Amino acid sequence: MSCVTSPLSAAEPADRPPHGPVRLSRSVGALVGLLSVAAALAAGHLVAGFVGLSASPYLAVGNTAIDLTPLPLKDFAVRTFGTHDKLVLLSGMALVIAVLALVAGVISRRSPLPGTILAVLLGLVGVAAVFNRPDTGQLGVFAPVVSLAVGVVVFRYLHGLAMRRALDDQSSAEPATGIGDQAPSRRTFLVSSAAVAVGAGVAGLGGQLFGNRVNVEASRNAVGTLVAKTKAPAIPAGADFTKDGTVSFITPGKDFYRVDTALTVPRILAEDWSLRVHGMVDRELNLSYNDLRGRDLVEQTVTMTCVSNEVGGPYISTATFVGVPLRDVLAEAGVKPGTEQLFSTSVDGWTCGSPVDVVMDPARGALLALGMNGEPLPVEHGFPVRIVVPGLYGYVSATKWVTDIELTTYAARQGYWIDRGWGVQGPIKTQSRIDSPQGFARVPAGKVVISGVAWAQPTGIAKVEVRVDGGPWQQALLAADVSNSAWRMWRTEFDLKGGGHNVECRATDKSGYTQTDQRVSVVPDGATGWHSVSFTVQA
């Protein structure tokens, strides 16, 4: 009796190959995960280019990470990485996201479900980050939603192609190795993967280009020359000792320190800018750029200092600002009794509370600044308009891209950094710094010039003293005194023998206060202590 074999029993079905269940190799799974996340982020960035770059899921998560980072870690980042802290954050985020993408692909070697779940979770994080950002409009959430959808669709699509490729490879006794001999499924996977990679690159670049399409430089150029009716005192030739190693008295815009929370610099046209002044006032004001531009402008040379500046640190710079006296604007609005702080908000949502009594003090000269060092404000330093309040650390005085001012109390509102553990008032402390010689420098024997800078805004510097190796204090020669709201350069000389030496400096302000030698960290309201430098005199 003969046995007849049916066609169905002659071979295993295509989805159950003879060598067991189909699964992706680790490298292919990882590639699928990586390409899917790249496509998701690029798609979200492209949409954000039209609705506002701050809505990009990548940037929104980065900004949220900045907001949620504990204060000690933020202080460490600024101290360690300086103005490169944002680049370090974005690079670290890219690394973490890449690892998660690789993991998503590897754990999805048998089924797309684990990777899909992880993709959805990552997408929801982006949606939540954008939804809670104060600087994204109602359409902003569209960017992370598109990002989530693209990530899931691309992941499942590439995963399906990869599974078909794996099935063909497993079913073939001799898998093809040459490009021309590859099975259709393998060619389709490779072509699709390449297309996704190229598409992600084009979308990401397109989002960046569209997001920066606002021609801020044209708007800056259209402002023209800002001529102050009230001029600042001219900077005398002897205002610094650059030949002896100090920084220049006026800091060029490109060298002016920048410490802020903005991952992307806001790009606002002067013609689109407006300022609302409200709260505890007699009348609300809504001012345009032309409203300020048409007023009598004043000029003031101011040294600005960051509260994160360690003893001897670099986060201090000086510029000549042109703008409208903030006191005049507040007087026009009418400040009600009981008002304690000027609560200002940047276009990117950053907030700052300045003491009203300081802002209203005519001796301080607080400004709504429009210009800096003879030109309209640089974009990264607050164009079109920023606040400058001499004598206060920047975290309570220097709102860039300001768009809202509310007169209120400290109990009612707390600024960005106050809510994170920093002091409320933020007066600048009397400090000094050695610029030359630098730490561990080797200098010739004989007369050694020691130079630096001191500041005590708005009191002014009366004297600076220097000592070497714990010896007697020697009073330094001070450069010309430009303004109590500006720093002051100093220099002195010592006849030193060969070998290692340590130099210290201390400043005394015009009130008679001499800076303390007690070392205190920058938290919560600024560092204190004498700056010291060790160097070697060559025998």
Side-chain angles (χ1 to χ4, degrees):
M1 181 177 179
S2 63
C3 178
V4 180
T5 303
S6 71
L8 291 177
S9 63
E12 292 286 337
D15 59 347
R16 289 191 291 111
H19 300 293
V22 176
R23 66 177 181 177
L24 306 180
S25 67
R26 287 186 177 84
S27 59
V28 171
L31 178 62
V32 169
L34 198 60
L35 288 175
S36 302
V37 168
L41 292 177
H45 200 66
L46 178 61
V47 174
F50 294 93
V51 300
L53 275 182
S54 58
S56 171
Y58 184 61
L59 297 177
V61 170
N63 280 315
T64 301
I66 291 175
D67 292 345
L68 298 179
T69 300
L71 182 58
L73 186 55
K74 284 185 178 182
D75 180 46
F76 169 80
V78 173
R79 185 173 64 252
T80 305
F81 304 112
T83 56
H84 301 295
D85 57 339
K86 299 174 185 64
L87 177 61
V88 172
L89 170 65
L90 293 175
S91 300
M93 282 178 52
L95 180 60
V96 170
I97 292 172
V99 170
L100 290 175
L102 296 173
V103 169
V106 170
I107 65 176
S108 302
R109 294 170 65 198
R110 294 181 184 275
S111 166
L113 183 59
T116 301
I117 293 174
L118 185 55
V120 170
L121 292 176
L122 289 175
L124 291 176
V125 169
V127 171
V130 172
F131 184 78
N132 288 292
R133 289 299 303 166
D135 53 338
T136 55
Q138 294 180 347
L139 294 177
V141 74
F142 189 54
V145 169
V146 169
S147 179
L148 189 159
V150 169
V152 170
V153 169
V154 171
F155 181 81
R156 296 188 71 89
Y157 173 69
L158 290 181
H159 191 279
L161 293 179
M163 289 295 282
R164 284 197 289 274
R165 167 192 165 175
L167 178 62
D168 287 347
D169 285 352
Q170 197 175 68
S171 300
S172 174
E174 296 181 0
T177 56
I179 297 296
D181 299 327
Q182 289 173 354
S185 60
R186 176 170 291 206
R187 290 196 299 272
T188 301
F189 175 75
L190 292 175
V191 171
S192 298
S193 297
V196 168
V198 172
V202 171
L205 180 60
Q208 195 66 26
L209 292 176
F210 283 118
N212 291 327
R213 67 189 183 280
V214 177
N215 195 345
V216 180
E217 288 305 321
S219 183
R220 287 185 71 240
N221 293 335
V223 169
T225 304
L226 296 166
V227 179
K229 182 176 181 179
T230 304
K231 299 281 189 179
I235 308 299
D240 57 40
F241 294 121
T242 54
K243 292 182 179 180
D244 293 319
T246 70
V247 293
S248 60
F249 185 86
I250 294 294
T251 309
K254 63 181 179 61
D255 298 326
F256 204 99
Y257 82 89
R258 179 194 164 202
V259 176
D260 54 47
T261 62
L263 285 178
T264 56
V265 175
R267 301 177 64 83
I268 313 156
L269 301 178
E271 52 269 32
D272 294 338
W273 177 88
S274 65
L275 174 67
R276 180 189 179 205
V277 182
H278 62 107
M280 297 175 66
V281 296
D282 296 329
R283 64 195 64 82
E284 182 174 315
L285 302 180
N286 286 279
L287 304 172
S288 69
Y289 189 86
N290 284 336
D291 289 334
L292 296 183
R293 180 76 171 79
R295 296 177 180 228
D296 290 341
L297 303 180
V298 302
E299 188 179 61
Q300 188 168 352
T301 301
V302 179
T303 294
M304 302 185 70
T305 311
C306 180
V307 72
S308 296
N309 200 43
E310 295 280 359
V311 173
Y315 304 130
I316 177 169
S317 302
T318 299
T320 298
F321 292 96
V322 173
V324 173
L326 188 49
R327 180 174 181 270
D328 292 353
V329 173
L330 297 185
E332 185 178 325
V335 180
K336 291 183 176 180
T339 303
E340 296 174 332
Q341 69 165 329
L342 182 151
F343 189 82
S344 54
T345 303
S346 168
V347 71
D348 67 350
W350 188 83
T351 57
C352 163
S354 307
V356 166
D357 58 341
V358 173
V359 174
M360 295 296 289
D361 183 357
R364 294 291 185 111
L367 293 176
L368 282 171
L370 284 67
M372 175 179 170
N373 291 344
E375 61 180 18
L377 289 170
V379 176
E380 64 272 17
H381 289 294
F383 180 82
V385 179
R386 71 172 296 166
I387 292 177
V388 176
V389 184
L392 300 178
Y393 286 118
Y395 78 104
V396 292
S397 71
T399 304
K400 293 184 280 190
W401 316 291
V402 62
T403 189
D404 187 276
I405 290 177
E406 179 183 358
L407 282 302
T408 183
T409 63
Y410 284 109
R413 303 293 299 271
Q414 285 194 326
Y416 182 93
W417 288 113
I418 310 305
D419 202 31
R420 289 160 174 79
W422 292 82
V424 173
Q425 300 292 324
I428 292 175
K429 298 178 178 179
T430 301
Q431 283 288 97
S432 57
R433 183 186 75 196
I434 300 166
D435 285 350
S436 179
Q438 296 184 353
F440 307 109
R442 300 181 67 85
V443 299
K447 293 286 185 181
V448 177
V449 176
I450 300 171
S451 64
V453 59
W455 59 93
Q457 311 94 296
T459 308
I461 292 294
K463 69 176 179 179
V464 173
E465 298 169 289
V466 184
R467 70 177 180 181
V468 176
D469 300 331
W473 290 102
Q474 177 173 304
Q475 190 163 331
L477 173 67
L478 294 178
D481 192 5
V482 176
S483 164
N484 288 342
S485 291
W487 55 13
R488 200 166 182 186
M489 310 301 174
W490 55 266
R491 74 177 296 279
T492 189
E493 294 180 357
F494 285 88
D495 192 358
L496 299 178
K497 296 180 180 180
H501 297 279
N502 181 266
V503 61
E504 299 169 290
C505 65
R506 67 181 185 186
T508 300
D509 64 29
K510 292 181 180 179
S511 74
Y513 171 79
T514 299
Q515 71 176 95
T516 177
D517 63 337
Q518 183 179 0
R519 280 276 181 160
V520 172
S521 175
V522 297
V523 181
D525 57 2
T528 65
W530 296 340
H531 187 214
S532 63
V533 168
S534 294
F535 61 96
T536 300
V537 174
Q538 296 174 331

